[in-house]
Amino acid sequence: SFHCQVYSRCRAHLVLLHADEATLQKFRLLKKEDIKASTAVLRPNTPGSTTLQLSWIWHSSVSYPQHYQQFLPETFSVKRVHWLRARAQTQRWREECILVRYEMQWTVRYFMHKSRTWQSAFTSDRPLTAGAAAYADRKVVMWRQLALISDKSFKNT
């Protein structure tokens, strides 16, 4: 576009004038993906829109000329939408970490519960045959080992 050409030309002149590094960092080289418009405000429920990253242009702290002041509310609106989406995603990940920790505890407790359930077969009123007792003993050991293995692997995370 015309504005991109003007910007690129002005930046090229800054390089020719040996502008300092801070200035060149402020006015970066313009790439095609930098000028892509964000549609998050227009279509907020588009799949994958929560992972969109705003271009560096939206984060630059350049003072705006007077005739551009009318567009600043829209600029801040776009930034606000992206910030809120990033914040919501961060909160979801924090919540997920909390839930996963609880699920790890619940898994170990479930395995221990199943081990105790099979262990209770030995203390029931009905006597067990040798085959049933061997099967129940194998299940007690299996569920207890699952509990120990999962507890050990969860503690390493």
Side-chain angles (χ1 to χ4, degrees), residues 61-74:
S61 59
V62 178
S63 58
Y64 298 96
Q66 187 62 37
H67 60 281
Y68 283 135
Q69 295 293 324
Q70 63 182 339
F71 300 115
L72 286 181
E74 288 83 6

Side-chain angles (χ1 to χ4, degrees), residues 18-86:
H18 304 290
D20 62 334
E21 191 60 36
T23 304
L24 292 179
Q25 276 292 45
K26 192 174 188 179
F27 299 101
R28 299 182 197 173
L29 190 60
L30 197 59
K31 299 175 188 166
K32 191 168 188 165
E33 59 265 12
D34 293 330
I35 58 170
K36 200 158 106 177
S38 172
T39 59
V41 176
L42 302 175
R43 292 179 286 148
N45 296 326
T46 303
S49 63
T50 57
T51 59
L52 291 176
Q53 296 287 325
L54 283 177
S55 167
W56 63 268
I57 295 170
W58 293 94
H59 303 291
S60 62
S61 59
V62 178
S63 58
Y64 298 96
Q66 187 62 37
H67 60 281
Y68 283 135
Q69 295 293 324
Q70 63 182 339
F71 300 115
L72 286 181
E74 288 83 6
T75 302
F76 293 131
S77 174
V78 169
K79 282 179 146 180
R80 185 172 36 253
V81 166
H82 279 275
W83 183 85
L84 288 170
R85 285 172 177 249

